[in-house]
């Protein structure tokens, strides 16, 4: 049996699962989770941090013909190489994902996170180098594979035994099933020929699969609470810091030039385009397959059982078949966990654990794009964890900020980055829209949380230094990219050449700083 046929069979198997039975099973298992919460199974004696880090691969001009022709063009990562690197596959064949080992929140724990990322990334780069490629930490790629267009790469698909298969998508049945489920596969003339609609300022793209989501890459800090019943308070704080942290981390101001509409030239993209297009990509692509806009800024929840019920009651996307038995504790709620996989919120609660002793309740923070360097990426992990540690402990009044304002802050950051107009409540209880006051209070409390977790004041400031630099200088990776493009446009380059020139300069800078340097040196 061919790989393609096996994939098509897997998609058919997924689509054959009864959605109502799947949902009913998830709701039954939610009661198992609630009982575990009641029994204290998800409680731990300390806060724990973890990290997910996504990359994409590009040609570095060595060894293979494809690499030599590419000049930092996107490259597909061979599956055997991904296994050698010890990375996980993500949506696109060009993607690779690393997940760190959970560590206690402390200076030693953060150093362990940083060291693990650096060690594994360095080893992965050594493997990738043999294939003439390198891994890039970035918010979005802009140079398609050599000899291809971004539009063609993202929309290319084939019919395999009646199943629509994206040519450049990883062979996970759940990804491909989205393009083959129910009414979402409507290919009528009125649907624009595709079931997916990518909608970004200046860009309108129809595709028959969710492959356009593979444009983007992210970092995802995790914060595991010590006591599960505190999760609702931590979650409310996490929503209110989402906009400010996103504003400091924006890193996707442009998409591949051939995706833009004809009436959007370079100047218009810089003047009217969003600063963090990654948010628009993820929301528009995946919400095209849902009735309830699953990708969104979530509402507060006020007790832990409400969080469980929201996951169980969320719109079902692909009701995957049950996996085989294992010895994991959370196999007792395996369907609930599967459903959580499509509980796409920018901040979301997680309940899982391979054993009763490791079972945990945590917050997954998803808004921030991958950053120019490892050091900058880990700074967001430290900031998020420090804030989760400090804000509830100090009963910071920002928890009283109206949810609607917190949501507006988030989308203001999407549009304007660090220059966004955002509202904040200072520790003195005063409302303010002053950016300096906001970021100073935000990072001061992040530092205080790290000190509470066992860091010295100097250590805490060292972890947060990359973000202090951005706040003090009013600059972000997105600003760096915009300036690089504008300079090239002023020199007479076309928009496509300016974007690609910027991207190559970004990767060149990163080649010297990714593992050991920082964005502030750029």
């Amino acid at each position: 049996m061919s790989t393609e046929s096996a994939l098509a069979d897997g998609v058919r198997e997924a689509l054959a699962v009864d959605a109502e039975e799947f949902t009913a099973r998830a709701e039954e298992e939610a009661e198992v989770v609630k009982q575990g919460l009641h029994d204290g199974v998800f409680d731990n004696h300390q806060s724990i941090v973890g990290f997910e880090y996504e990359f994409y691969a590009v040609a570095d001009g060595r060894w293979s013909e494809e690499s030599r022709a590419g000049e930092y063009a996107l490259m597909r990562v061979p599956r055997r190489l991904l296994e050698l690197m010890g990375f996980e596959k993500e949506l696109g064949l060009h993607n690779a994902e690393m997940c760190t080992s959970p560590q206690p929140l402390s200076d030693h724990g953060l150093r362990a996170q940083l060291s693990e990322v650096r060690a594994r990334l360095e080893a992965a780069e050594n493997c990738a180098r043999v294939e003439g490629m390198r891994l890039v930490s970035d918010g979005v790629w802009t140079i398609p594979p050599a000899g291809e267009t971004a539009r063609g790469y993202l929309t290319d698909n084939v019919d395999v035994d009646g199943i629509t298969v994206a040519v450049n998508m990883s062979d996970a049945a759940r990804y491909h099933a989205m393009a083959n489920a129910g009414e979402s596969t409507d290919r009528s003339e009125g649907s624009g020929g595709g079931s997916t609609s990518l909608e970004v300022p200046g860009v309108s793209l129809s595709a028959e699969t969710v492959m356009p989501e593979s444009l983007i890459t992210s970092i995802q800090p995790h914060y595991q609470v010590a006591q599960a019943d505190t999760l609702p308070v931590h979650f409310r704080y996490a929503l209110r810091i989402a906009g400010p942290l996103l504003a400091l981390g924006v890193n996707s101001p442009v998409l591949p030039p051939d995706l833009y509409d004809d009436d959007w030239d370079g100047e218009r993209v810089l003047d009217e385009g969003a600063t963090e297009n990654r948010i628009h990509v993820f929301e528009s692509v995946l919400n095209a397959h849902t009735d309830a806009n699953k990708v969104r800024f979530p509402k507060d929840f006020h007790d832990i059982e409400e969080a469980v019920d929201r996951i169980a009651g969320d719109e079902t996307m692909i009701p995957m078949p049950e996996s085989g038995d294992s010895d994991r504790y959370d196999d007792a709620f395996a369907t609930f966990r599967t459903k959580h996989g499509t509980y796409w919120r920018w901040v979301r609660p997680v309940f899982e654990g391979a054993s009763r002793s490791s079972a945990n309740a945590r917050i997954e923070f998803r808004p921030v794009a991958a950053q120019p360097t490892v050091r900058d990426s880990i700074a967001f992990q430290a900031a998020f964890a420090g804030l989760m540690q400090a804000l509830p402990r100090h009963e910071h009044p920002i928890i009283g900020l109206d949810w609607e304002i917190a949501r507006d802050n988030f989308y203001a950051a999407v549009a304007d980055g660090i220059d966004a107009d955002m509202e904040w409540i200072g520790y003195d209880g005063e409302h303010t829209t002053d950016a300096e006051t906001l970021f100073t209070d935000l990072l001061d409390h992040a530092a205080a949380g790290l000190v509470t977790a066992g860091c010295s004041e100097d250590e805490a400031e060292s972890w947060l230094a990359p973000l202090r630099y951005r706040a003090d200088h009013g600059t972000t990776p997105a600003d760096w990219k915009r300036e690089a493009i504008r300079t090239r446009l002023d020199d007479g380059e076309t928009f496509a050449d300016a974007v690609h020139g910027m991207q190559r300069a970004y990767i060149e800078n990163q080649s010297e700083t990714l593992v050991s340097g920082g964005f502030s040196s750029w």
Side-chain angles (χ1 to χ4, degrees):
M1 180 182 292
S2 69
T3 302
E4 290 82 4
S5 295
L7 176 60
D9 288 343
V11 171
R12 270 190 289 270
E13 184 182 5
L15 297 177
V17 175
D18 186 282
E20 291 185 2
E21 290 182 7
F22 178 87
T23 300
R25 193 163 62 244
E27 290 174 349
E28 290 174 3
E29 292 177 2
E31 298 306 314
V32 177
V33 177
K34 291 179 188 177
Q35 186 62 51
L37 289 165
H38 178 74
D39 294 342
V41 176
F42 293 90
D43 294 341
N44 296 276
H45 68 283
Q46 60 184 335
S47 301
I48 304 290
V49 293
F51 201 61
E52 298 178 46
Y53 202 155
E54 298 171 354
F55 301 84
Y56 61 78
V58 299
D60 72 354
R62 289 175 290 181
W63 311 122
S64 69
E65 181 177 348
E66 180 184 6
S67 178
R68 290 196 302 274
E71 196 177 4
Y72 297 151
L74 201 69
M75 278 190 75
R76 301 162 179 87
V77 183
R79 302 296 89 176
R80 58 172 177 75
L81 181 63
L82 201 58
E83 293 176 5
L84 286 173
M85 289 161 47
F87 278 45
E88 301 293 331
K89 61 186 177 184
E90 250 293 336
L91 184 69
L93 293 179
H94 55 275
N95 291 129
E97 181 182 50
M98 176 198 307
C99 297
T100 64
S101 307
Q103 297 290 339
L105 175 56
S106 65
D107 185 63
H108 291 301
L110 288 171
R111 289 187 185 281
Q113 295 278 294
L114 178 61
S115 295
E116 181 180 357
V117 171
R118 284 175 167 169
R120 293 179 60 189
L121 180 56
E122 194 168 59
E125 290 281 41
N126 289 336
C127 288
R129 194 171 295 121
V130 175
E131 299 287 339
M133 66 175 59
R134 69 176 57 180
L135 297 178
V136 178
S137 176
D138 194 5
V140 63
W141 56 266
T142 61
I143 306 176
E148 303 181 52
T149 65
R151 186 175 296 269
Y153 180 80
L154 294 170
T155 60
D156 193 11
N157 68 86
V158 295
D159 183 285
V160 179
D161 300 330
I163 297 296
T164 300
V165 173
V167 171
N168 298 304
M169 191 186 295
S170 295
D171 60 353
R174 67 188 184 97
Y175 294 146
H176 295 272
M178 292 182 198
N180 294 275
E183 295 180 357
S184 66
T185 55
D186 175 22
R187 294 175 180 82
S188 65
E189 183 177 351
S191 69
S195 59
T196 290
S197 177
L198 171 61
E199 297 177 0
V200 170
V203 173
S204 300
L205 174 70
S206 292
E208 293 191 13
T209 73
V210 296
M211 184 62 190
E213 192 261 315
S214 72
L215 278 163
I216 57 176
T217 41
S218 69
I219 55 173
Q220 296 173 22
H222 293 213
Y223 178 84
Q224 177 181 318
V225 298
Q227 300 295 320
D229 62 3
T230 68
L231 193 69
V233 171
H234 282 89
F235 191 81
R236 289 180 67 193
Y237 276 115
L239 295 184
R240 282 145 184 83
I241 63 175
L245 285 181
L246 175 60
L248 291 172
V250 288
N251 195 21
S252 58
V254 292
L255 268 59
D258 74 87
L259 296 183
Y260 281 93
D261 298 335
D262 291 341
D263 57 344
W264 279 70
D265 60 9
E267 290 295 334
R268 187 176 181 188
V269 171
L270 294 180
D271 291 343
E272 301 179 33
T275 304
E276 190 54 276
N277 286 296
R278 176 182 163 267
I279 303 298
H280 290 303
V281 170
F282 197 64
E283 288 190 345
S284 63
V285 170
L286 293 180
N287 284 341
H289 293 264
T290 74
D291 295 325
N293 288 342
K294 287 163 66 74
V295 186
R296 63 181 185 263
F297 190 80
K299 290 286 187 70
D300 296 326
F301 54 83
H302 297 282
D303 63 69
I304 195 70
E305 292 194 353
E306 184 182 356
V308 177
D309 287 338
R310 284 191 186 177
I311 296 170
D314 194 46
E315 179 183 350
T316 297
M317 284 294 297
I318 302 300
M320 297 296 292
E322 291 188 79
S323 58
D325 293 334
S326 75
D327 295 329
R328 287 183 63 101
Y329 163 72
D330 51 20
D331 278 347
F333 47 94
T335 302
F336 176 88
R337 286 174 53 222
T338 298
K339 192 157 190 179
H340 178 272
T342 62
Y343 186 70
W344 294 311
R345 306 295 191 271
W346 290 116
V347 185
R348 68 181 182 183
V350 182
F351 305 93
E352 66 177 16
S355 64
R356 285 180 66 94
S357 61
S358 66
N360 63 86
R362 65 180 188 267
I363 295 174
E364 187 178 292
F365 191 74
R366 301 163 57 84
V368 181
Q371 298 295 300
T373 75
V374 171
R375 185 68 185 80
D376 287 88
S377 293
I378 297 296
F380 280 96
Q381 181 187 33
F384 179 64
L387 288 163
M388 289 295 92
Q389 194 81 359
L391 297 178
R393 179 184 293 267
H394 294 169
E395 297 183 348
H396 195 291
I398 190 59
I399 198 170
L401 187 73
D402 289 346
W403 175 86
E404 289 82 4
I405 296 176
R407 179 198 56 197
D408 291 347
N409 284 348
F410 182 81
Y411 289 105
V414 171
D416 298 316
I418 202 168
D419 297 321
D421 293 327
M422 294 182 288
E423 184 173 333
W424 185 255
I425 303 176
Y427 193 51
D428 58 4
E430 295 295 321
H431 287 247
T432 182
T433 57
D434 181 72
E436 181 179 358
T437 301
L438 186 165
F439 289 122
T440 297
D441 188 48
L442 183 84
L443 296 176
D444 283 353
H445 277 84
L450 295 177
V451 170
T452 300
C455 296
S456 69
E457 291 185 2
D458 287 345
E459 288 167 342
E461 286 302 327
S462 176
W463 287 115
L464 300 173
L467 306 189
R468 293 276 192 194
Y469 171 86
R470 298 181 187 195
D472 291 345
H473 292 81
T475 190
T476 62
D479 294 314
W480 184 94
K481 288 180 174 180
R482 284 178 178 273
E483 182 60 31
I485 293 170
R486 186 169 294 283
T487 297
R488 287 170 168 78
L489 290 175
D490 290 344
D491 288 341
E493 293 187 19
T494 65
F495 176 53
D497 287 345
V499 171
H500 292 167
M502 171 279 293
Q503 194 70 62
R504 294 186 179 102
Y506 180 99
I507 296 170
E508 284 291 343
N509 282 351
Q510 192 171 93
S511 68
E512 302 295 328
T513 59
L514 175 58
V515 174
S516 300
F519 170 68
S520 60
S521 67
W522 287 26

